[in-house]
Amino acid sequence: MDHRSRLREYRRWLAVAAEQAALGAREGGVPVGAALVDSRGEILGRGRNRRVQDGDPTAHAETSAFRAAGRLRDYGDTTMVTTLSPCWFCSGLVRQFGIGRVVIGEARNFCGGHDWLAENGVEVVLLDDAECMRMMGEFIAASPGLWNEDIGA
Amino acid sequence: MDHRSRLREYRRWLAVAAEQAALGAREGGVPVGAALVDSRGEILGRGRNRRVQDGDPTAHAETSAFRAAGRLRDYGDTTMVTTLSPCWFCSGLVRQFGIGRVVIGEARNFCGGHDWLAENGVEVVLLDDAECMRMMGEFIAASPGLWNEDIGA
């Protein structure tokens, strides 16, 4: 697959994550979404931040998507696609389980551990997506207390 | 509190985590236990690895204890006590949420990210506990496949 086709595919995966984020926003939650995708593009699990919805501080978007995929034996050929740069917790998840690639909607509203992942052999693709940026920017402006709680700031 | 009294207190907290690990072993799970403790020694949450019990690959001991504590606003004065050195996922949790101290039963059967935490300002106390070592060593010898799955190896 050439570079352009790959980027189109990443954007399709990002749309799945962004749909989760938008759903989270409608629920009054933190609007970050994610999906775990296999090498053929099949969605293994999808999820969104559920801190507010479930009162669960471990339910970040990436951990929710990873949990939804259930028990797997090898993550090397999987991609974690997320609307926002993964925090240290979610970056640690990617590194520990050897997820091969992370596709990130944006890293302007929050920059987590994705450089650390790249340094440690994970393929990191940053899409700098305008819609992800807008959604997160509006949320942080409207709910700074909830956002700071969610990242332990 | 002097050094000796502090160590006695850490060992009392470790006993809470070890009780969780032993419970996990009896359930056929991965025998790692943890607790989140506040500055007065009150247990905010306790948990054990629940990969087998719940089919949940995000339910490491530390994430389970953190989840059980619910939504909190500041973790700086809390301690995560765990029977085993925290993996990258759980180390990322500690770093992201600014948990001030990690007390570790042992790091011989598995050495995770605790040096990285120490480099990043977390107080790390390693107790080198014989009972934690024995429990984990026996589990790894008996169930190497389950153990490797749990750490993505």
Side-chain angles (χ1 to χ4, degrees):
Chain A
M1 203 186 287
D2 68 13
H3 180 66
R4 198 176 290 255
S5 306
R6 250 202 318 268
L7 274 179
R8 265 200 304 270
E9 186 157 23
Y10 296 162
R11 290 210 170 266
R12 276 197 297 272
W13 300 349
L14 182 62
V16 175
E19 190 185 2
Q20 287 291 313
L23 184 52
R26 291 199 294 279
E27 293 167 338
V30 178
V32 184
L36 188 69
V37 187
D38 76 8
S39 60
R40 294 163 310 162
E42 197 177 320
I43 308 292
L44 301 171
R46 67 191 81 200
R48 56 191 177 278
N49 187 299
R50 304 187 61 88
R51 170 178 292 271
V52 171
Q53 297 92 319
D54 297 347
D56 180 354
T58 68
H60 274 193
E62 297 89 334
T63 57
S64 297
F66 185 84
R67 186 183 300 160
R71 289 172 61 177
L72 298 174
R73 197 53 198 86
D74 192 322
Y75 294 89
D77 281 340
T78 68
T79 297
M80 179 67 80
V81 56
T82 172
T83 57
L84 187 67
S85 173
C87 78
W88 286 118
F89 178 39
C90 297
S91 295
L93 176 84
V94 168
R95 181 166 177 187
Q96 186 63 47
F97 290 99
I99 292 170
R101 186 193 288 122
V102 179
V103 172
I104 300 168
E106 63 114 347
R108 296 206 199 183
N109 284 300
F110 174 78
C111 187
H114 68 258
D115 285 339
W116 178 71
L117 290 177
E119 285 160 23
N120 285 286
V122 178
E123 183 186 348
V124 173
V125 180
L126 185 54
L127 294 178
D128 216 31
D129 181 80
E131 173 56 17
C132 289
M133 244 178 280
R134 185 199 61 75
M135 190 159 42
M136 203 60 203
E138 285 183 2
F139 165 74
I140 293 173
S143 308
L146 175 55
W147 172 237
N148 285 331
E149 180 192 320
D150 194 58
I151 53 170
Chain B
M1 201 186 286
D2 67 14
H3 179 67
R4 198 176 289 256
S5 305
R6 251 201 318 270
L7 274 180
R8 265 200 305 269
E9 187 156 23
Y10 295 161
R11 290 211 169 265
R12 276 197 298 273
W13 300 349
L14 182 63
V16 175
E19 190 185 3
Q20 287 290 313
L23 184 52
R26 290 198 295 278
E27 293 167 338
V30 178
V32 184
L36 188 69
V37 187
D38 76 8
S39 59
R40 295 163 309 163
E42 197 177 319
I43 307 294
L44 301 171
R46 65 191 82 198
R48 56 192 177 277
N49 187 299
R50 305 187 61 88
R51 169 177 293 271
V52 171
Q53 295 92 321
D54 297 346
D56 180 353
T58 69
H60 275 193
E62 298 90 333
T63 58
S64 296
F66 185 84
R67 185 183 301 158
R71 288 172 61 177
L72 298 173
R73 197 53 199 85
D74 193 321
Y75 294 89
D77 281 341
T78 67
T79 297
M80 179 67 80
V81 55
T82 172
T83 56
L84 186 67
S85 174
C87 77
W88 286 118
F89 178 38
C90 298
S91 295
L93 175 84
V94 168
R95 181 166 177 187
Q96 185 62 46
F97 290 98
I99 292 171
R101 186 192 290 124
V102 179
V103 172
I104 300 168
E106 63 114 347
R108 297 207 197 182
N109 284 300
F110 174 78
C111 187
H114 70 258
D115 285 339
W116 178 72
L117 290 176
E119 284 160 22
N120 285 284
V122 179
E123 183 186 347
V124 174
V125 180
L126 184 54
L127 294 177
D128 216 32
D129 181 81
E131 174 56 17
C132 289
M133 243 178 282
R134 185 199 60 75
M135 191 159 39
M136 202 60 203
E138 286 183 2
F139 166 73
I140 293 173
S143 308
L146 175 56
W147 172 237
N148 284 331
E149 180 191 321
D150 194 59
I151 53 169

